[in-house]
Amino acid sequence: MPAAVYVLAAGVFAMVTSEFAVAGLMPQLAESLDTDIAQIGYLVTIFALAMAFGGPLLILALLRLPPKTAIMVVFAIFFAGNLLAALASSYAVMVVARIVTGIAAQAFFGLAVSVCMGIVDASGRGRAVSVAMSGLMLGTLLGLPLATFIGGRLGWQAAFWAVGVLTVVAAALTLALVRNPGDPEDSRAENGTFTEQLRAFRSPRLLLALVTSTLIIGATFSVFSFLAPILTRVSGFTEGSVPLLLLAYGAATLVGNFVVGRLADRHTVPTLLAGTLLNIVFLLGFALGTGSQPLAILFMLGIGLVGVTMNPAMAVRVQRAGGTGVLVNTVHTSFITFGVVVGSALGSRLLAEYGLRAPIVLGAVLAVLAVAAILPAARDPRLRSGSTTGPQHATQEEQPV
């Protein structure tokens, strides 16, 4: 992998650390901003919605810029948002800061995936995405505890200042080591005009791939969003053991991300299908066996191995269906964010009415729907494994609308 791919992973790590920082600093933020925990919780939702809707709009505004220049602009916007968060003296200002950073984070994810795919051979795109997205896994594994530790020792403002420092370091490394994919003419052809970028979304194959990603991520986050109360109130673990269990879950996602990255290019659809089928088994096992601590750990780690770790294979499927353009990749990450929103929101609704096992069952249902959305791609050799042979192979322009 080129060094640039690892640099982009560092940028993803900074973005994800900022996203999760609020979750670890809720009591301090509530006290300082003169509000309650519930209101601070909405800051997580606001960030996700800003990502889902604002990221593609920012990309449209940056569409004519070379990808590296666009990334530097996004870094500047993200840094400004974190600076505003660190200086926030009211809840309203913090809301604005979360909107700004959410929009920038989503745009960065789309740009990072697009650049990764553009600077490696087609046969290595899945691996490149898995390396870049390891920043997401590390953000979950290390970024949240790091932000919580700094905020607990030095005040919540210090956590956002720390993210600002991470952002500056990542931006400096990007400036030094990341290059634009291809020559300028190729870059313009890849990004295209507004109309050319939108044309990709006329493909039913692409739309089905986007929905699949929403369902896969929704299935996982319907459980991940409530892991702490499930583990303490149903499985009977102590609150002190939950951070260690979440650390183990994060380690499982790192392993799964590495494995899927190795398989995503040559076995795209089989990897998605096998991983999602396994997730159904693990989710059902977790729903039925979460009252037993050994079984709860086993199935929780299984969900970590085959849940969000499908990202590289999902990205390759989307690229084959709609191209490597930055707008396609940004909209794809928006659909992934919709999965987070759907899983957590529906899970909350079901939890209130049916208890803590209900979100786990919801996850299994969403995973079954994801399998149904994956199966049509299994008949297409190009989507399945990148093959350019077979009756269903066609260029993007030849696909029926």
Side-chain angles (χ1 to χ4, degrees):
M1 285 293 105
V5 176
Y6 295 93
V7 169
L8 292 169
V12 171
F13 176 78
M15 307 280 169
V16 173
T17 300
S18 179
E19 177 183 0
F20 291 153
V22 166
L25 301 170
M26 284 188 175
Q28 302 98 309
L29 283 165
E31 181 180 357
S32 178
L33 300 178
D34 193 26
T35 186
D36 56 31
I37 294 292
Q39 290 297 111
I40 298 300
Y42 283 127
L43 293 175
V44 178
T45 305
I46 288 168
F47 190 99
L49 291 174
M51 288 179 69
F53 294 102
L57 296 178
L58 178 57
I59 285 298
L60 287 176
L62 301 175
L63 209 53
R64 293 187 179 277
L65 296 178
K68 181 176 178 179
T69 304
I71 287 176
M72 298 309 297
V73 171
V74 169
F75 269 131
I77 295 171
F78 184 76
F79 179 81
N82 274 284
L83 180 63
L84 186 62
L87 298 175
S89 57
S90 69
Y91 183 77
V93 174
M94 183 59 78
V95 167
V96 174
R98 298 299 284 174
I99 291 172
V100 171
T101 50
I103 290 172
Q106 187 79 325
F108 182 84
F109 293 158
L111 284 162
V113 170
S114 184
V115 169
C116 282
M117 288 186 167
I119 61 178
V120 298
D121 294 336
S123 61
R125 285 172 173 172
R127 286 183 58 202
V129 172
S130 75
V131 171
M133 289 300 105
S134 67
L136 189 154
M137 314 302 170
L138 288 171
T140 307
L141 184 65
L142 301 176
L144 174 57
L146 178 64
T148 304
F149 176 80
I150 293 174
R153 296 294 186 277
L154 303 174
W156 63 265
Q157 295 91 340
F160 289 102
W161 283 115
V163 172
V165 172
L166 284 174
T167 303
V168 171
V169 171
L173 290 172
T174 299
L175 194 61
L177 298 174
V178 175
R179 61 179 175 80
N180 286 314
D183 58 38
E185 184 175 343
D186 290 339
S187 181
R188 283 193 297 272
E190 187 72 54
N191 286 320
T193 65
F194 174 77
T195 303
E196 290 167 342
Q197 287 279 323
L198 287 180
R199 190 176 300 151
F201 296 97
R202 298 167 60 189
S203 167
R205 299 190 313 169
L206 175 58
L207 297 177
L208 190 59
L210 295 173
V211 171
T212 302
S213 296
T214 296
L215 292 169
I216 290 174
I217 298 302
T220 302
F221 269 84
S222 65
V223 177
F224 178 75
S225 303
F226 309 100
L227 262 184
I230 290 171
L231 292 171
T232 54
R233 299 180 190 178
V234 181
S235 303
F237 289 102
T238 64
E239 291 187 2
S241 64
V242 169
L244 293 176
L245 292 170
L246 293 178
L247 190 67
Y249 177 91
T253 65
L254 278 176
V255 173
N257 183 65
F258 174 80
V259 173
V260 173
R262 293 283 176 169
L263 298 173
D265 293 300
R266 297 185 63 184
H267 310 285
T268 311
V269 174
T271 299
L272 283 173
L273 193 57
T276 308
L277 286 170
L278 281 173
N279 207 18
I280 293 171
V281 173
F282 293 139
L283 287 163
L284 290 175
F286 195 45
L288 296 172
T290 190
S292 164
Q293 291 186 354
L295 289 178
I297 293 175
L298 175 66
F299 291 122
M300 179 196 72
L301 294 179
I303 294 167
L305 281 170
V306 296
V308 295
T309 58
M310 292 296 108
N311 255 311
M314 294 186 320
V316 172
R317 180 186 174 188
V318 165
Q319 169 260 313
R320 287 175 181 158
T324 60
V326 64
L327 183 58
V328 168
N329 284 300
T330 304
V331 170
H332 181 218
T333 56
S334 287
F335 272 80
I336 289 173
T337 304
F338 285 139
V340 177
V341 174
V342 167
S344 58
L346 289 180
S348 295
R349 182 70 177 270
L350 292 173
L351 183 152
E353 295 188 20
Y354 302 105
L356 282 164
R357 281 188 171 89
I360 311 175
V361 176
L362 168 66
V365 172
L366 292 175
V368 169
L369 294 175
V371 168
I374 294 168
L375 287 174
R379 299 192 297 269
D380 188 324
R382 184 168 184 270
L383 293 182
R384 187 172 61 244
S385 59
S387 172
T388 56
T389 62
Q392 293 196 42
H393 173 64
T395 65
Q396 181 180 312
E397 289 74 13
E398 295 169 337
Q399 291 303 313
V401 298

